[in-house]
């Protein structure tokens, strides 16, 4: 591989040259110089100032060498010339002061990303699954702001940027987590306590991620379906904000969420078809990781033939070889692998060729088939077939059907409460009554001051319970198995934001 220090300006052309300084033999010095330019905001330094600051960090370089390094970084596109005017007493100082540098836009970004990669740990990173629930709330705020005939562009832009930043951070954390899983699961030496700890992490955390995605993805998809018909109005409001125009007349790169394509991609991530949606991709990745985990378990059981791994024994043997001398290593090898001098004796199974005798070398003798049980375990006892690994697919399907039935029952109970409207004197099913009690209990726990109407909402069901204090009044709700009376409160059930059952995608 050619040394990157020998590159000419023409050989390191294009944006790929921005990465050259990371692979040269002087990469430590180049990285230290780039640290000075990318640390503070708008750093403008001369070669002499760079040499002084490097000396403060324990890196002593002459000014001429620093100048050469800065010029090389400039030729690769990592630095650009500064334009600050200089007032100096001599011509030499003037020429030096004119050689000032700043980090270029892409050069600064490359250095920050490269340092982040070099500083990142090899362990797993938590998935930002809490952002899914936050995204549901921000989308609700966007829908609520659209009720205003003249929504504020600044607050709407803040909510839009938050939605897409949350989605980007969630995607990045998921990709990093599954990349870590693939790196660990591909290890052939994964065994023992390390395998057990990783198995617990995998089973518990993947189930947690899958549950959060299954719970929040339908809510996000439903809200995206409400926003898409009003997307032209959102984009028109965002266009009222000032837009940065470059000197050549082209607009600067805009934040995500300012185009229809961004919103369509967000909607497709949560409800795309043909197995290409984000939730389906995550479930497929989880299934693949679990299958690989079972494959590793089978490999460990089959590695030694006794149901345990011999990894620890092999590592101990390798340590003995590392510490042994030449003579001891030969004896250790002979004792470990049974390569003692031997003679070919009769008395075994019938041999295919009678010409092999006691004086025939093993190298020249006809091979003999040895049964697997005799070769691995030293006996001829027949062994039964190994038990099959249980298939978790049936349990997963049963749990999924159970969860769907529970969600369907909750939606029917919510639709029943919405149909009743004013709940005083309403007769509902026990399931609707239990849902009402749960939401009223949460409402009373959150709101101690009931001098004004308060609302308790359920984002998954698009249901809200409005409670209004009225002295002497009571709300009486009857069910086949009992009656509930809430004193001093008038209760009313309705859809959130006035959405109908058709808008939410559910039928009563």
């Amino acid at each position: 591989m050619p040394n990157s220090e020998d590159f000419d300006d023409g050989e390191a052309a294009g944006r790929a040259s921005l990465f050259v300084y990371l692979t040269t033999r002087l990469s430590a010095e180049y990285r230290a110089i780039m640290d000075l330019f990318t640390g503070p905001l708008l750093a403008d330094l001369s070669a002499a100032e760079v040499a002084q600051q490097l000396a403060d960090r324990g890196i002593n370089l002459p000014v001429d060498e620093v100048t050469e390094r800065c010029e090389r970084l400039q030729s690769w596109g990592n630095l650009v010339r500064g334009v600050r005017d200089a007032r100096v007493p001599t011509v030499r100082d003037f020429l030096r002061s004119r050689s000032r540098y700043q980090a270029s836009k892409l050069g600064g970004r490359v250095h920050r990303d490269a340092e982040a990669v070099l500083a990142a740990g090899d362990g797993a990173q938590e998935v930002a699954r809490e952002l899914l629930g936050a995204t549901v709330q921000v989308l609700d705020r966007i829908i609520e702001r659209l009720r205003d005939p003249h929504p504020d562009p600044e607050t709407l832009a803040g909510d839009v940027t938050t939605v897409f930043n949350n989605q980007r951070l969630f995607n990045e954390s998921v990709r990093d987590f599954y990349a870590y899983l693939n790196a660990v699961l591909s290890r052939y030496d994964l065994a023992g306590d390390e395998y057990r700890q990783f198995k617990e992490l995998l089973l518990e955390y993947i189930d947690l991620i899958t549950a959060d995605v299954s719970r929040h993805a339908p809510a996000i998809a439903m809200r995206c379906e409400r926003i898409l018909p009003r997307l032209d109005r959102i984009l028109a409001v965002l266009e009222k904000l000032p837009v940065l125009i470059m000197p050549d007349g082209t607009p600067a790169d805009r934040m995500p969420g300012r185009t229809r394509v961004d919103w369509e991609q967000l909607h497709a991530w949560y409800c795309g078809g043909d197995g290409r949606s984000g939730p389906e991709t995550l479930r497929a990745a989880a299934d693949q990781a679990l299958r690989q985990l079972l494959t590793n378990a089978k490999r460990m059981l089959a590695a030694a033939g006794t149901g345990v791994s011999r990894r620890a024994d092999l590592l101990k043997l390798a340590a003995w070889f590392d510490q042994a001398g030449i003579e001891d290593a030969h004896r250790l090898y002979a004792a470990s692998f049974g390569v003692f001098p031997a003679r070919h004796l009769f008395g075994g199974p019938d041999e295919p060729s009678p010409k092999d005798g006691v004086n025939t070398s093993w190298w020249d003798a006809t091979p003999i088939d040895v049964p697997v049980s005799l070769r691995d375990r030293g006996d001829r006892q027949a062994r039964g077939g190994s038990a099959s690994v249980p298939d978790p697919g049936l349990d997963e399907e049963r749990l999924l059907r159970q969860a769907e039935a529970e969600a369907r029952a909750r939606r029917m109970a919510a639709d029943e409460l919405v149909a009743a409207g004013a709940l005083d004197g309403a007769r509902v099913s026990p399931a609707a009554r239990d849902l009402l009690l749960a939401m009223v209990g949460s409402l009373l726990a959150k709101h101690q001051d009931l001098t004004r109407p308060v609302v308790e909402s359920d984002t998954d069901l698009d249901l809200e319970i409005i409670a209004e204090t009225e002295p002497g009044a009571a709300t009486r709700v009857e069910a086949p198995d009992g009656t509930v009376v809430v004193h001093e409160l008038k209760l009313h059930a309705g859809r959130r934001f006035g959405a109908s059952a058709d808008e939410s995608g559910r039928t009563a």
Side-chain angles (χ1 to χ4, degrees):
M1 179 177 178
N3 191 341
S4 298
E5 276 292 303
D6 299 330
F7 284 173
D8 295 330
D9 294 344
E11 294 176 337
R15 293 190 176 184
S17 63
L18 294 168
F19 301 89
V20 171
Y21 80 99
L22 295 170
T23 59
T24 67
R25 60 183 177 85
L26 302 176
S27 60
E29 297 177 3
Y30 284 122
R31 287 174 54 196
I33 293 174
M34 289 300 299
D35 281 339
L36 299 178
F37 285 100
T38 58
L41 186 64
L42 297 178
D44 184 272
L45 301 173
S46 65
E49 293 170 341
V50 171
Q52 179 61 43
Q53 294 189 28
L54 289 177
D56 295 340
R57 298 187 178 190
I59 303 176
N60 296 314
L61 289 176
V63 176
D64 294 340
E65 292 188 11
V66 173
T67 302
E68 181 183 354
R69 304 284 188 276
C70 292
E71 290 178 351
R72 187 60 61 88
L73 287 170
Q74 180 193 356
S75 68
W76 291 331
N78 302 93
L79 297 181
V80 295
R81 290 280 184 176
V83 294
R84 193 178 72 176
D85 294 334
R87 295 182 180 180
V88 290
T90 64
V91 174
R92 181 179 181 181
D93 292 338
F94 173 78
L95 295 176
R96 284 190 174 184
S97 65
R98 293 281 293 184
S99 299
R100 307 188 68 86
Y101 301 91
Q102 296 176 352
S104 65
K105 171 192 169 182
L106 297 180
R109 180 183 298 181
V110 166
H111 184 72
R112 287 190 293 269
D113 292 343
E115 292 299 318
V117 171
L118 294 174
D122 295 331
Q125 181 182 6
E126 290 186 347
V127 175
R129 54 188 181 83
E130 66 277 1
L131 295 180
L132 295 175
T135 299
V136 175
Q137 298 176 3
V138 178
L139 290 174
D140 285 339
R141 287 206 304 266
I142 294 177
I143 296 174
E144 183 65 21
R145 295 190 196 283
L146 294 178
R147 294 183 174 278
D148 188 348
H150 304 287
D152 181 46
E154 294 288 347
T155 56
L156 182 61
D159 289 339
V160 171
T161 302
T162 301
V163 168
F164 284 89
N165 283 342
N166 288 352
Q167 182 67 18
R168 176 186 56 81
L169 182 57
F170 175 75
N171 284 339
E172 291 177 354
S173 62
V174 166
R175 283 195 294 266
D176 290 345
F177 177 74
Y178 278 97
Y180 167 77
L181 289 187
N182 292 333
V184 175
L185 288 174
S186 61
R187 288 174 44 192
Y188 192 80
D189 61 341
L190 185 64
D193 292 339
E194 187 178 10
Y195 174 82
R196 179 181 54 81
Q197 296 173 1
F198 182 73
K199 177 187 68 175
E200 295 174 356
L201 164 69
L202 185 64
L203 295 178
E204 294 178 4
Y205 201 67
I206 281 187
D207 182 66
L208 192 61
I209 297 172
T210 305
D212 284 340
V213 172
S214 299
R215 180 159 56 96
H216 293 294
I220 296 178
M222 180 188 65
R223 284 154 178 79
C224 289
E225 291 173 358
R226 294 185 188 175
I227 290 177
L228 287 178
R230 313 175 191 177
L231 188 56
D232 291 336
R233 186 181 175 205
I234 294 177
L235 299 179
V237 173
L238 296 179
E239 287 294 334
K240 298 179 181 179
L241 294 173
V243 178
L244 178 62
I245 302 299
M246 304 300 292
D248 59 357
T250 60
D253 296 339
R254 304 202 64 186
M255 297 295 292
R258 270 60 174 177
T259 64
R260 176 174 292 274
V261 174
D262 294 337
W263 285 95
E264 290 176 348
Q265 292 176 349
L266 177 67
H267 180 254
W269 196 93
Y270 286 97
C271 60
D274 300 332
R276 292 177 295 180
S277 69
E280 293 172 342
T281 303
L282 290 180
R283 282 191 287 269
D287 292 343
Q288 181 180 355
L290 293 176
R291 286 194 298 270
Q292 184 62 40
L293 188 69
L294 293 177
T295 301
N296 284 350
K298 295 177 183 178
R299 174 187 55 78
M300 288 189 298
L301 292 175
T306 58
V308 296
S309 172
R310 304 301 297 272
R311 175 175 178 268
D313 296 338
L314 293 175
L315 290 176
K316 187 174 182 179
L317 179 62
W320 288 348
F321 274 110
D322 183 61
Q323 299 171 3
I326 296 178
E327 296 297 331
D328 293 338
H330 284 295
R331 289 194 295 270
L332 180 60
Y333 182 82
S336 301
F337 300 102
V339 291
F340 304 100
R343 299 179 66 187
H344 188 85
L345 303 177
F346 292 116
D350 295 337
E351 299 183 6
S353 177
K355 67 184 180 68
D356 296 332
V358 294
N359 295 323
T360 304
S361 171
W362 280 19
W363 292 105
D364 302 326
T366 304
I368 298 176
D369 293 332
V370 180
V372 176
S373 60
L374 182 61
R375 182 171 65 246
D376 289 352
R377 296 181 288 272
D379 59 39
R380 295 178 178 271
Q381 182 179 357
R383 297 299 198 278
S386 59
S388 60
V389 177
D391 184 8
L394 296 178
D395 290 337
E396 292 180 358
E397 185 177 353
R398 176 179 57 82
L399 294 176
L400 181 60
R401 287 199 303 268
Q402 181 180 350
E404 290 175 350
E406 292 175 357
R408 186 163 50 251
R410 283 175 53 84
R411 289 197 297 269
M412 293 176 62
D415 293 340
E416 190 175 350
L417 293 176
V418 171
L423 298 177
D424 186 21
R427 184 172 183 83
V428 297
S429 65
R433 185 268 321 278
D434 294 340
L435 176 61
L436 174 63
L437 288 177
M439 295 189 66
V440 170
S442 177
L443 182 146
L444 295 177
K446 294 179 182 178
H447 304 283
Q448 302 297 326
D449 182 13
L450 299 179
T451 57
R452 56 185 179 83
V454 294
V455 178
E456 174 66 18
S457 300
D458 190 316
T459 57
D460 293 334
L461 301 175
D462 278 332
L463 173 66
E464 63 180 14
I465 301 297
I466 304 174
E468 184 176 359
T469 303
E470 183 174 331
T475 299
R476 183 184 185 89
V477 180
E478 298 182 358
D481 57 349
T483 302
V484 175
V485 180
V486 183
H487 298 279
E488 306 293 330
L489 286 180
K490 293 178 62 178
L491 301 178
H492 185 278
R495 291 286 182 191
R496 300 186 69 228
F497 309 129
S500 64
D502 293 337
E503 288 178 337
S504 61
R506 307 186 181 98
T507 57

